[in-house]
Amino acid sequence: NGVSALANLGVLFARTGRSEEAIKTFTAILRLVPDHPQATVNLALQYSARGDHAQALPLFQHAIALGLDSYDVRYHLGLSLYNLKRYDEAQPILESAGALSPNAAEPLYYLGLIHWSRQQDETAAEYWDRAVHLRPNFPEVNFMLGEALRKNRRTEAAIEFYRRALDQDATKFVYYARLGGAYLQLGQGDESLQVFSRALQRFPRLAEAH
């Protein structure tokens, strides 16, 4: 029942990748002290990291009610709302997170995705353009800028962003598929073949690559 010792133990579990034990420990703390600030945040972060956003959401909300109003808490609260498809609620939270940390690119990426889901392509691209200026090595943003350009029939311009995404993260087949497809659409068969050949080397058992 030593709360301080349990809190330290939970942090050690979290930092060494023992998520299940971290969750059990932080939950035990909150049974003893329901308004324990750090246990509330740490438990929420554990749920968020494993994609359990329905569990994380009320914990992040409670953390803000306890006065732990920081960029990390607001960003992850917005992320939970986004992943639960509660876009109208996520938008102002992500905007406020960005205001707390103006150099953070991640809120801009998700704000762009929210506007993209509403078919507001230009606004989405503006957010992504700001994000990639803050963090050039952001493959998801470069990919989405390519998507926005291709959707608006600017395939040649899209190639540069698809190429950046692939250079920055070669583990996602969709980056190969879009870049190779863009080359093919422009009649550049040799370039397309090179991209799909690289994809096949990386994903030899993937039917789409063949």
Side-chain angles (χ1 to χ4, degrees):
N1 292 333
V3 173
S4 295
L6 283 171
N8 290 333
L9 179 61
V11 170
L12 286 171
F13 281 141
R15 289 182 178 176
T16 53
R18 297 164 68 175
S19 180
E20 289 293 337
E21 290 162 291
I23 287 172
K24 289 178 182 177
T25 304
F26 295 134
T27 300
I29 294 170
L30 293 178
R31 279 197 295 265
L32 294 168
V33 184
D35 289 339
H36 192 282
Q38 291 304 321
T40 301
V41 172
N42 287 331
L43 181 56
L45 289 171
Q46 287 299 302
Y47 280 131
S48 180
R50 65 192 292 183
D52 193 346
H53 297 289
Q55 292 270 41
L57 177 61
L59 289 164
F60 285 126
Q61 291 171 326
H62 188 52
I64 289 178
L66 292 173
L68 296 175
D69 194 0
S70 65
Y71 164 76
D72 282 337
V73 171
R74 282 193 173 264
Y75 168 67
H76 283 95
L77 172 58
L79 183 61
S80 292
L81 288 164
Y82 172 82
N83 281 288
L84 293 169
K85 302 188 186 303
R86 293 166 60 174
Y87 300 142
D88 290 342
E89 296 169 80
Q91 181 176 342
I93 297 295
L94 290 168
E95 287 172 347
S96 65
L100 289 172
S101 183
N103 292 324
E106 288 78 5
L108 297 172
Y109 169 59
Y110 285 101
L111 286 165
L113 290 177
I114 289 170
H115 286 283
W116 182 257
S117 73
R118 298 170 179 161
Q119 308 299 316
Q120 298 169 350
D121 299 355
E122 289 187 13
T123 304
E126 288 172 4
Y127 277 110
W128 293 329
D129 188 59
R130 288 168 56 194
V132 85
H133 275 87
L134 289 170
R135 184 178 143 196
N137 188 18
F138 200 149
E140 294 87 351
V141 171
N142 282 302
F143 176 74
M144 289 308 302
L145 282 167
E147 291 285 87
L149 289 164
R150 185 182 64 87
K151 181 180 177 182
N152 289 279
R153 301 181 181 179
R154 298 177 59 191
T155 305
E156 192 166 357
I159 282 177
E160 176 62 27
F161 291 97
Y162 286 145
R163 189 187 297 119
R164 289 182 195 175
L166 181 56
D167 288 344
Q168 292 165 7
D169 184 359
T171 66
K172 294 182 180 176
F173 175 72
V174 67
Y175 294 172
Y176 296 87
R178 285 290 197 271
L179 179 58
Y183 279 130
L184 199 60
Q185 188 176 348
L186 294 172
Q188 299 177 27
D190 289 341
E191 289 82 355
S192 180
L193 182 59
Q194 288 178 14
V195 173
F196 288 125
S197 295
R198 286 175 58 197
L200 192 58
Q201 291 175 358
R202 183 105 193 186
F203 306 99
R205 300 178 64 83
L206 191 63
E208 291 87 344
H210 285 274

